[in-house]
Amino acid sequence: MDIAHAKLVCEASFLGVAVDGLKANVNPNVQGVGIGHKVVHRIATKERALQVYVNRKVHPRLLAAEDRIPDEIEGCPTDVVETGTFAIGRKFPPIYQRRLRPALPGVSVGHHEVTAGTFGALVREGRDVYILSNNHVLANENEGKVGDPVLQPGKFDGGRPDRDTIAQLAGFVTLDADATNTVDAAIATPIVKDDVAPEVLHIGRPKGEAEPEIDMAVRKSGRTTRLTEGRVSATDVTLRVMYSDGFLVFTDQFLVSGARTGFSGPGDSGSLIVDAENRAVGLLFAGSPFTTVANRWSNVAKALKVKLVN
Amino acid sequence: MTSIEDVKRKNETWLMALPGVVGVGIAKKAGTRVIQVLVKDVTKEVRDKVPSMIDGHPTDVVRVGEIRRL
């Protein structure tokens, strides 16, 4: 087999490059072609393969026959690689920052006037189902009104009200500058019920609840630092947290230290923190380069009168 | 001896009034529960003003920087 020749065939049949003796055709999903090691079960083998770069990888059965990339071209195996659209200086964002339907907890979400935060969990009150995150993510630090559009992805990630409104603000626990707070939490009603699902991205469905304990191993899935692991480093924490209009005092919080790198970053607000058995432990809302701060899950559930969807 | 939770609660107001103190919590150090004093930066002033023991419970001063909503 001649892989260089096979690549020419690809260039002609997917990218419309003029090659003598070949029919030029364009597959709109193909962004480029190259040669690399054949990857089997995520491991590169010694065999060489044609790499076909696509905007979005779609299951072959969902594609029209003429849009499918064959397993072999001119006797050379192919690998379809999702690269997004190539552009100068612009990276294709990770799934956490893209539009996703059904949206899963872990992805970017935000009130239409907020940059972006994280969809923490799907919760319910009776038969009503809600997206849960922080007040400062869904309710713009008490400024939001019930019914305001909530975008997925959030505004900072390109979300637009006309196209990406996934829910409407339903309620929030008011952040109080003159007293102590225990939670930074809000809920929003999905406009289309099937546009949301309860499985946390890369974690799965949360099961039950647990109280944070010092040294407990925890995880979270969030918009910015994605899936991270850490340990509870302190409980019963009273502390001051900087918001847009100054400091707010929180009581009954807990701290998490990252296992390897940091546990969180800006945009991870609203992430659900779970223990090793996927039990809900807390709602991430604040932090610094040194630590992460979370509300206790039981306080969040009590304040909003909600339960995890299971 | 008064429980560490009660000691922390009774002392957190004055501790948080110290310059540079961001918060107060309960943590573990070498297997012992301690009153953790969270500070923006560890300074000599904070070290001098936070006693090493409060009502029989050890304290630990920890740098956390400035805590912001994320």
Side-chain angles (χ1 to χ4, degrees):
Chain A
M1 76 186 186
D2 178 356
I3 202 159
H5 173 72
K7 191 169 129 287
L8 282 178
V9 173
C10 281
E11 286 169 355
S13 49
F14 300 145
L15 297 168
V17 177
V19 180
D20 282 348
L22 295 174
K23 203 178 134 204
N25 187 36
V26 174
N27 181 325
N29 199 28
V30 175
Q31 310 297 314
V33 296
I35 295 170
H37 289 285
K38 173 72 185 166
V39 175
V40 178
H41 299 310
R42 297 188 188 175
I43 294 163
T45 64
K46 280 182 182 165
E47 193 181 10
R48 302 241 272 171
L50 287 163
Q51 290 181 341
V52 180
Y53 309 118
V54 297
N55 190 13
R56 283 209 190 177
K57 210 166 166 172
V58 179
H59 193 280
R61 275 200 221 127
L62 299 174
L63 285 169
E66 64 267 26
D67 290 336
R68 279 179 215 152
I69 308 302
D71 294 339
E72 270 188 24
I73 292 169
E74 301 287 308
C76 295
T78 60
D79 269 329
V80 178
V81 182
E82 186 180 276
T83 56
T85 309
F86 295 110
I88 301 159
R90 198 171 145 225
K91 261 183 14 200
F92 191 64
I95 190 168
Y96 285 91
Q97 292 158 22
R98 298 193 322 229
R99 182 190 158 96
L100 185 69
R101 298 292 182 274
L104 304 179
V107 301
S108 170
V109 75
H111 180 274
H112 68 112
E113 286 172 347
V114 168
T115 50
T118 297
F119 168 11
L122 202 61
V123 295
R124 65 180 174 85
E125 185 193 355
R127 297 179 66 171
D128 297 324
V129 169
Y130 301 101
I131 284 174
L132 173 89
S133 185
N134 294 137
N135 173 322
H136 80 263
V137 173
L138 298 180
N140 195 17
E141 299 183 33
N142 302 339
E143 295 288 312
K145 303 276 177 286
V146 168
D148 278 358
V150 168
L151 313 180
Q152 195 297 306
K155 186 173 73 172
F156 187 82
D157 297 316
R160 285 188 351 209
D162 58 336
R163 192 182 61 187
D164 302 313
T165 298
I166 191 167
Q168 291 179 309
L169 179 60
F172 55 88
V173 180
T174 304
L175 292 166
D176 194 336
D178 302 317
T180 59
N181 300 273
T182 56
V183 300
D184 177 345
I187 48 176
T189 310
I191 292 169
V192 178
K193 205 171 148 265
D194 291 343
D195 277 355
V196 289
E199 287 82 13
V200 182
L201 195 57
H202 295 144
I203 284 181
R205 202 178 277 233
K207 291 189 184 87
E209 304 175 5
E211 291 298 341
E213 285 168 24
I214 295 166
D215 292 336
M216 179 189 262
V218 293
R219 298 193 293 166
K220 78 95 187 61
S221 188
R223 180 242 168 236
T224 306
T225 61
R226 314 184 208 177
L227 181 64
T228 55
E229 298 175 2
R231 278 186 188 277
V232 174
S233 66
T235 58
D236 290 279
V237 176
T238 300
L239 83 171
R240 268 186 290 268
V241 178
M242 177 77 111
Y243 278 75
S244 311
D245 293 332
F247 286 101
L248 299 179
V249 178
F250 284 80
T251 60
D252 203 12
Q253 307 300 304
F254 67 96
L255 304 185
V256 177
S257 296
R260 283 176 285 272
T261 54
F263 189 71
S264 67
D268 285 330
S269 269
S271 304
L272 184 70
I273 295 177
V274 299
D275 72 359
E277 278 89 56
N278 277 7
R279 293 179 296 189
V281 175
L283 187 66
L284 192 159
F285 79 108
S288 72
F290 303 93
T291 193
T292 298
V293 192
N295 308 142
R296 279 203 294 135
W297 175 258
S298 53
N299 284 337
V300 173
K302 204 181 340 167
L304 287 166
K305 300 186 187 72
V306 295
K307 288 177 175 161
L308 287 168
V309 166
N310 50 32
Chain B
M1 192 166 74
T2 320
S3 79
I4 194 165
E5 287 84 2
D6 287 342
V7 173
K8 191 223 88 177
R9 200 173 308 128
K10 279 181 199 152
N11 288 278
E12 67 188 13
T13 308
W14 76 265
L15 284 169
M16 284 184 65
L18 296 175
V21 173
V22 175
V24 183
I26 296 172
K28 253 186 204 170
K29 198 172 181 183
T32 305
R33 297 220 291 163
V34 297
I35 298 170
Q36 194 171 67
V37 180
L38 312 169
V39 298
K40 202 174 159 201
D41 294 296
V42 179
T43 60
K44 188 174 180 300
E45 192 186 8
V46 164
R47 282 199 180 283
D48 289 347
K49 285 184 175 166
V50 176
S52 60
M53 300 278 276
I54 304 176
D55 293 346
H57 294 283
T59 64
D60 185 30
V61 175
V62 172
R63 179 190 187 195
V64 294
E66 183 145 272
I67 307 282
R68 298 168 175 275
R69 63 167 174 24
L70 292 177

